[in-house]
Every structure is written in structure tokens, then in C-alpha cells.
Amino acid sequence: MLKQNLQKLQQHPTPLYVYNISLLRQTLQKAKEESAKYNYHVHYALKANANAPILDEVRALGFGADCVSGNEVKRAIENGFSPERVVFAGVGKSDEEINYALDQDIFCFNCESSHEMIVLNELAEKKDRTARIALRINPNVNANTHKYITTGLEENKFGINAWELESVIALLETLPNLQLIGIHFHIGSQITDLSVFKNLCTRVNEFQEWFEARKIQLEHINVGGGLGVDYYNPEQQPIPDFEAYFGLFNQFLELRPGQQVHFELGRALVAQCGTLVSKVLYIKKGISTNFAILDAGMTELIRPALYQSYHKIENLTSNKQEERYDVVGPICESSDCFGKAVMLPETERGDLVAIHTAGAYGEVMSSAYNLRDKAAALYLN
Ligand SMILES: *Cc1c(COP(=O)(O)O)cnc(C)c1O
């Protein structure tokens, strides 16, 4: 796809984020189709990529929005997502963020602590409103993923722990401006072992019984996101196995009549459609390996530096004999490295290099460290 567009790419300054909109559409369509089989609601997690052209595609297919900051709520609404389809999570919602979301009358606040519930009730009362809430419960399920993207263990800061639930329910009785409509879970990201989601279903079923025993009705069950993508074989497997993913929840979640199930997918929807394209600035001879020094760095794509994550790297312009390179960026940090001992065709100054699967948690996480300019984005159909 990129090689067919080389001429176009060469006209643009680098580093450059390139988005394959037709792959994005196919991915969204597949997710829509598979989730629709069970009438599931899918909310797109804006934090993965909040570029307007990406959001336009997501919204056009009828997804809702999952937000983790006031500005994300704002971006979603300004982009045309209906407030009725916006959910808002996060352990540290500020008063300003809450007030904005209350004014917009969003569908649901996913509450992460009793303290947050007290503040939300106070702010809702001042506006003479009722806030719909779901309790974000920490199910203590191990996502078997990198520790920085594991969120569902008791040691993590996210959600309400099972042993706090009794007191949270008692507290709720004293908070008239909150309306409990459901429970919410999100256990981590880049989960490729589907049995993790089966464990989540088992825990959700146990919590459902707990609430039922207390005669509390839950209309909405939100199981969060976290479905992983194949960073190693982006071309062979560009679309995640949504059929297996949604099918698993259908098989293992025990629902009560009328209950609605919600998902919050980010990475699985947008990761593969984005590529970071960079130019080789210099080649430097090392002891056991050469360095290919790119004009993109951790300021454009921080995932390798932050989570030691793998991204497939491809030289788009050379087809010479393969050699071994450490592919690094220009930033003054040793962690500014996209890959060690990467086999690439002999690479020289001016070559274009693609860093694949960068559509999620790529451009959104870019920074101005070293006073770097923001990379441009190009959308290809
Ligand atoms: C980040 C996040 C998501 C999306 O996670 P992905 O791994 O990108 O699917 C969903 N829900 C919440 C609450 C999140 O914080």
C-alpha cells in the first residue's frame, strides 16, 4: 500500500503519519458486523487516536465514544458524536471536566472511587441534574500484557475493588443525584490471549450475582476494551479476529433479560491503519551492528521507549542485500530506539522507512520534547 504511493510520500516532509482509510473502513465494518450479531454497543476509545478524519469514519459507522478526559468528551461531541453515546472514565476527573460532561448530559460516567462519586453528586446537585453512573470495578483479572498497560489488578490505581463494593452501595443510597445504571470493567490493553476475556466474563458473572443478591438491577454491562493486534505480521493479519472476540463474550457472559452490553475498543480499530514514515538521516558504524538514524524518534512514537513494544520496520526504498541495524531516532535519550538488530536491506541516507502499526497510541502520544515539530498526517484512500 505504501510502496504504491511512494511518489506521493516522497513529496511530503518527514516524519509523517500515513493513514490507510480503506483499511480503517474495512476494520470498522468488520467490528460493526460482528458486534451487531449480538446487539452489542461499541464505543471507540478516543485516546488511541483522536484525529478528526479518523473520528469521522468511526462516527459514520455508528460507534459511540469512550473518553478519559474532558477534552476527549469535547472532541467527541464537537466531532458530532451524540452525547447519548459518550461514556467518560478516568481515576482523576477534575471538577471542570465533570461540569462540562454534566452540561452535555453524557450517557454515563464510569466512576472509579467513592470519593469521585461524592464529588460528582455534589456537582450534579448544584446543576439540579442526575448523573447516570456505572461503577468501574477492578475484577482482579490478569491481562497477561505489559505491566504499564495492565489495569485490572488490585495493585492498579483503576476502579473500585471488590471488597469496597458493599460500602460503595451503602454510600450510593445517600447520593440522590447519582443514578446507578450499570457496571464497567477495563482490564488492560494489547490482550492477544482471548482466554483472558473468558476470565473477565467469569468475574462479571460473579459480580452480577452479587448485585442480584442485593436486589440491584443493572441495565448496562460494559466490559471495556483491550483487544490486541498483530504487531509482528501487520500485512498478513491487518484486521483483528472480531468474530472470535465478540463470540466469546456471547458464549460466556450470563446476561439478565434486557441487559445491554457495551465495549470500548481503541487499538483494535485503528492501530493497523497508521504508519509512521521517516527518512534515514545517517548511517553510523557500530561494533556489532550499524545504526540507522531516522528523522523520527520517540517524540513521534513513544511506544518502543515506554513499553519496549515491537513495531515492524520496513525500508520502502531499498531492495539490496539485508544487513543488521539498530534503528534509532534523533532524541537525546538512549531509549529512543525503534528496534535493535533489525534486518533491513542495505540502508542509506534518504531512504524512506515505514514503522508499521502506529495508528493507535502513536500520534496522540507525541510530544514536543527537544522542541520538536509535530509530524504531519496524510490520509490515503
Ligand atoms: C484505554 C481504554 C480503552 C481502550 O483500550 P484499547 O486497548 O485501546 O482497546 C477502553 N476503556 C478504557 C476505560 C480505557 O482507559
Side-chain angles (χ1 to χ4, degrees):
M1 194 277 175
L2 290 169
K3 283 193 170 168
Q4 286 98 311
N5 285 288
L6 256 187
Q7 278 191 327
K8 202 179 247 174
L9 294 183
Q10 274 158 342
Q11 290 160 10
H12 286 80
T14 50
L16 177 71
Y17 266 97
V18 180
Y19 294 98
N20 178 344
I21 295 297
S22 58
L23 176 60
L24 173 62
R25 276 186 201 142
Q26 287 171 43
T27 308
L28 293 168
Q29 253 147 14
K30 184 70 180 159
K32 192 77 207 169
E33 188 183 307
E34 295 300 331
S35 59
K37 283 184 183 168
Y38 317 108
N39 293 319
Y40 290 159
H41 305 272
V42 180
H43 305 265
Y44 169 62
L46 258 80
K47 77 174 188 284
N49 188 314
N51 291 3
I54 305 279
L55 294 183
D56 289 343
E57 300 293 332
V58 172
R59 194 197 58 246
L61 272 169
F63 292 89
D66 166 43
C67 303
V68 291
S69 75
N71 283 346
E72 283 189 2
V73 174
K74 203 165 175 189
R75 175 72 61 92
I77 289 172
E78 284 175 358
N79 187 275
F81 286 86
S82 157
E84 287 156 43
R85 320 208 34 202
V86 171
V87 295
F88 182 15
V91 290
K93 303 177 188 80
S94 72
D95 295 22
E96 291 73 22
E97 290 175 313
I98 291 174
N99 278 327
Y100 174 75
L102 281 170
D103 289 339
Q104 300 297 323
D105 198 20
I106 62 163
F107 168 58
C108 189
F109 290 82
N110 293 332
C111 288
E112 308 225 11
S113 67
S114 47
H115 203 172
E116 179 192 333
M117 286 160 53
I118 293 167
V119 171
L120 177 57
N121 182 70
E122 240 172 61
L123 295 173
E125 189 183 359
K126 278 194 195 136
K127 292 182 181 291
D128 204 14
R129 280 186 180 273
T130 304
R132 286 170 296 275
I133 68 161
L135 301 176
R136 175 168 181 176
I137 300 175
N138 185 334
N140 203 25
V141 169
N142 194 342
N144 294 328
T145 183
H146 190 276
K147 65 176 193 285
Y148 287 1
I149 49 175
T150 292
T151 56
L153 289 176
E154 277 176 7
E155 69 198 49
N156 299 128
K157 67 178 176 180
F158 299 97
I160 297 163
N161 286 315
W163 42 269
E164 299 169 294
L165 273 181
E166 202 82 64
S167 67
V168 164
I169 294 305
L171 173 68
L172 253 181
E173 312 243 313
T174 70
L175 304 174
N177 293 69
L178 301 188
Q179 181 197 355
L180 179 67
I181 62 168
I183 50 179
H184 170 240
F185 304 83
H186 174 68
I187 56 173
S189 199
Q190 185 48 19
I191 297 167
T192 47
D193 171 3
L194 285 188
S195 72
V196 166
F197 293 114
K198 188 179 162 193
N199 295 341
L200 172 62
C201 289
T202 306
R203 292 293 286 147
V204 175
N205 295 340
E206 290 165 9
F207 284 111
Q208 286 252 57
E209 280 171 24
W210 189 93
F211 281 92
E212 202 165 51
R214 283 156 187 79
K215 308 251 178 314
I216 298 170
Q217 293 209 351
L218 302 169
E219 199 184 330
H220 300 277
I221 308 294
N222 183 336
V223 294
L227 177 62
V229 299
D230 192 343
Y231 282 92
Y232 291 88
N233 305 293
E235 288 96 354
Q236 291 90 316
Q237 225 192 323
I239 300 181
D241 192 350
F242 294 116
E243 184 178 1
Y245 174 71
F246 291 115
L248 181 140
F249 284 92
N250 178 57
Q251 189 181 350
F252 294 107
L253 265 190
E254 291 162 10
L255 298 177
R256 310 297 184 264
Q259 276 184 337
Q260 314 257 341
V261 183
H262 300 255
F263 291 81
E264 301 168 337
L265 291 175
R267 186 190 311 270
L269 299 176
V270 297
Q272 299 290 18
C273 80
T275 307
L276 176 59
V277 174
S278 176
K279 201 169 278 161
V280 178
L281 291 175
Y282 303 104
I283 301 294
K284 182 165 160 177
K285 299 275 176 212
I287 298 168
S288 56
T289 175
N290 296 328
F291 292 99
I293 302 169
L294 307 186
D295 66 358
M298 62 192 286
T299 42
E300 286 67 52
L301 180 65
I302 202 176
R303 299 190 67 257
L306 188 59
Y307 317 119
Q308 291 88 44
S309 52
Y310 175 88
H311 284 264
K312 188 168 177 193
I313 301 171
E314 181 187 8
N315 185 324
L316 297 171
T317 45
S318 165
N319 39 30
K320 298 193 190 118
Q321 192 85 27
E322 289 209 334
E323 289 187 19
R324 201 179 301 275
Y325 295 93
D326 281 8
V327 181
V328 302
I331 307 303
C332 298
E333 299 287 337
S334 292
S335 61
D336 183 30
C337 174
F338 290 116
K340 285 204 187 310
V342 182
M343 293 306 290
L344 291 177
E346 192 185 333
T347 295
E348 35 185 77
R349 174 173 167 83
D351 283 354
L352 279 187
V353 166
I355 303 169
H356 290 282
T357 322
Y361 307 107
E363 203 183 335
V364 268
M365 281 181 140
S366 56
S367 80
Y369 182 43
N370 289 192
L371 295 187
R372 299 269 292 173
D373 290 326
K374 172 133 177 43
L378 177 67
Y379 302 88
L380 297 176
N381 272 300

